Amino acid sequence: MSMLDRARKTAAKTDRTLSEKEANVLFDTQLNLAKLSPEITEHALYPALIAAIREASSNNRNVALLTSRVEALKEEGSALVSKVLDALR
């Protein structure tokens, strides 16, 4: 058995062990969202947090739109350059 195979086998065994432990911790954790929610939403910083999240989401959407438009422009520009070069030949 090569060292790489041993490393992969050890990594897989570790992943299984840790995932079982993680599942047990999550299963044993009691989280009462109904009780926790008012403490969060009534906190003085909650509106500022929501505003920051909305602004970040908007910025992410704008970046995604810009990226897709630049990529579309790149494709159209490549096609246009090809047509111009074909016309010049």
Side-chain angles (χ1 to χ4, degrees), residues 20-48:
E20 289 172 9
K21 288 181 180 180
E22 180 185 16
N24 288 335
V25 168
L26 289 173
F27 183 73
D28 292 338
T29 301
Q30 297 293 327
L31 183 62
N32 187 344
L33 291 177
K35 183 178 178 183
L36 183 61
S37 182
E39 291 182 28
I40 294 172
T41 57
E42 293 173 7
H43 193 281
L45 293 177
Y46 183 76

Side-chain angles (χ1 to χ4, degrees), residues 1 3 5 7 13 17 23 43 63 65 75 82:
M1 179 181 292
M3 290 298 290
D5 290 337
K13 181 179 177 183
T17 302
H43 193 281
V63 168
L65 282 172
E75 291 170 8
S82 294

